[in-house]
Amino acid sequence: MITELAPAKINLALHVRARRPDGYHEIETLFAFCRDGDTVTIAEAEQDSFTITGPFAAALTGEGTNLVLAARDAFATAFGALPPLTITLDKRLPVASGIGGGSADAAATLRALGRLQDVAVEKMMGMALALGSDVPACLLGRTAIGGGRGERLTPTAALTDTPVLLVNPGVAVSTAQVFAAWDGVDRGPLGTVAESRNDLEAPARTIAPVIDDVMALLSAQPGVALDRMSGSGATCFALFDDVTARRGAAATIAATHPDWWYLESTLA
Ligand code: C5P
């Protein structure tokens, strides 16, 4: 049995530079990963099966094709038939929320299959991009600058052990819709993290105005070093000076917005 963590992905910064003729956008982003997320478990079995467990299982049940199965099928197409596998996805991250849930699950599936069949991660980057723009970054799984659609990856220094709090107000946001609502203004390249931004924050706020409330609450918390929206939202995150400050902020969120989802973690 092989278990792989599918960690929550955070875009510490995300600059949208241009619309491309192929319908995607040219971005410059700084990917980082948490120490918590979904898990994908695979084991050889008599016949193929796929089970989703965890607090967000219901959000995916009945969905056409899960990215986990798409990843399994892409792997088999590229590297040859797989033995029958039972695959379990423990879905702990909210769906369509800007922290790469589906992409992380696909990447974790590829990593697990790579371990099972002795295939190096580097050989799976092409199929990862075909599964989604964030899947190569999730497959690499370490702090990196991403160019192109997010697949041109340059590993960079990590903020390892930094306490982080993720907060989602319970609104699923479509990545395609948020990119489509971008105003087309190139606001310039990535600088330092502090000087950078998430250019998808403004368009996402027009689609899900509750993001304003999340950002306002996070930025008012003591001990916040950086607060921003991740990806195309609606999950926002704050980095904290220490764990005590993060715990205090989490307690405030729980008390004031019991219907919001949050995750206390640290950066990997
Ligand atoms: O690659 P992925 O399937 O995750 O992208 C979902 C949608 O988000 C795309 O169909 C596209 O509309 C938008 N997108 C984009 N530019 C990117 C990444 C995603 O326009 N760099």
Side-chain angles (χ1 to χ4, degrees):
M1 193 169 88
I2 295 174
T3 297
E4 279 285 334
L5 180 64
K9 164 224 75 167
I10 292 178
N11 301 87
L12 291 175
L14 198 170
H15 292 199
V16 185
R17 304 299 309 277
R19 269 188 230 290
R20 306 190 340 183
D22 65 1
Y24 288 92
H25 292 74
E26 200 64 21
I27 64 168
E28 285 171 31
T29 186
L30 179 56
F31 290 109
F33 294 89
C34 297
R35 288 219 172 86
D36 299 276
D38 300 337
T39 58
V40 174
T41 303
I42 64 171
E44 293 194 37
E46 305 253 297
Q47 58 184 40
D48 278 329
S49 68
F50 179 49
T51 310
I52 311 177
T53 59
F56 290 100
L60 290 180
T61 307
E63 190 196 45
T65 12
N66 189 282
L67 271 174
V68 167
L69 297 184
R72 176 198 64 187
D73 295 345
F75 186 97
T77 302
F79 300 112
L82 288 162
L85 296 173
T86 169
I87 306 183
T88 305
L89 168 62
D90 191 33
K91 193 75 208 157
R92 315 199 71 81
L93 302 174
V95 174
S97 76
I99 49 176
S103 306
D105 298 343
T109 304
L110 293 181
R111 268 199 306 273
L113 294 173
R115 278 169 65 189
L116 187 74
Q117 304 282 71
D118 207 15
V119 175
V121 156
E122 298 73 46
K123 293 200 174 136
M124 300 190 272
M125 283 295 176
M127 77 177 67
L129 180 60
L131 290 163
S133 303
D134 282 349
V135 182
C138 291
L139 194 52
L140 184 68
R142 51 176 293 193
T143 305
I145 293 169
R149 278 164 60 190
E151 83 282 14
R152 275 204 333 259
L153 295 163
T154 310
T156 187
L159 302 172
T160 309
D161 296 329
T162 302
V164 59
L165 177 66
L166 305 181
V167 181
N168 183 281
V171 191
V173 173
S174 147
T175 301
Q177 233 187 317
V178 173
F179 270 106
W182 175 60
D183 64 5
V185 177
D186 176 9
R187 292 174 174 80
L190 277 187
T192 64
V193 176
E195 289 164 344
S196 303
R197 22 169 233 282
N198 184 344
D199 287 332
L200 295 180
E201 232 172 82
R205 283 169 180 219
T206 64
I207 291 163
V210 67
I211 292 168
D212 289 339
D213 303 337
V214 180
M215 287 302 296
L217 192 55
L218 277 180
S219 57
Q221 299 307 304
V224 170
L226 181 83
D227 59 291
R228 211 160 265 174
M229 192 184 83
S230 180
S232 54
T235 305
C236 301
F237 67 88
L239 305 183
F240 289 87
D241 299 333
D242 55 59
V243 170
T244 311
R246 185 197 64 200
R247 285 202 188 118
T252 302
I253 302 282
T256 57
H257 294 86
D259 53 325
W260 288 3
W261 172 88
Y262 67 88
L263 174 69
E264 290 187 74
S265 189
T266 50
L267 294 183

